[in-house]
Amino acid sequence: MKPLSGSRGGQVAAAGYEIRIRGRLSEAMQTAFEEFEVSTEPVETVLHGQVLDQAALLGLLDRIAALGLELVEVRRVAGQPADRG
């Protein structure tokens, strides 16, 4: 598997991410992402949190697809604190 851009040696170090999903997730659907802080905007749900490595990021993207959700954007957030809570 090809490493993500900006990675070193095929690994992505733990980093903060903002993931935008089209639509508003129900509370029941939000439980699928309980490791993330979830916020809603008028037309999107935004997940904020830490992703440990490339495998975890790909697993998260697979989970979004498996739930039939439309991924809008994945953004690495510089300076994201390790613990948001």
Side-chain angles (χ1 to χ4, degrees):
M1 181 173 294
K2 186 175 180 181
L4 297 177
S5 65
S7 65
R8 295 180 188 165
Q11 298 294 320
V12 174
Y17 280 85
E18 176 183 284
I19 295 120
R20 292 180 173 268
I21 299 169
R22 184 158 325 279
R24 298 179 126 207
L25 300 183
S26 67
E27 286 191 35
M29 185 71 77
Q30 288 179 24
T31 62
F33 303 102
E34 61 191 4
E35 70 270 29
F36 292 91
E37 181 180 314
V38 179
S39 60
T40 56
E41 295 185 359
V43 297
E44 295 177 341
T45 299
V46 184
L47 308 176
H48 298 274
Q50 291 289 307
V51 177
L52 295 179
D53 57 20
Q54 183 176 4
L57 179 60
L58 294 174
L60 173 61
L61 298 176
D62 284 344
R63 188 180 342 160
I64 290 168
L67 291 169
L69 301 172
E70 184 180 344
L71 181 65
V72 175
E73 180 180 21
V74 177
R75 179 183 305 170
R76 187 170 177 174
V77 181
Q80 181 83 13
D83 184 2
R84 292 184 55 107

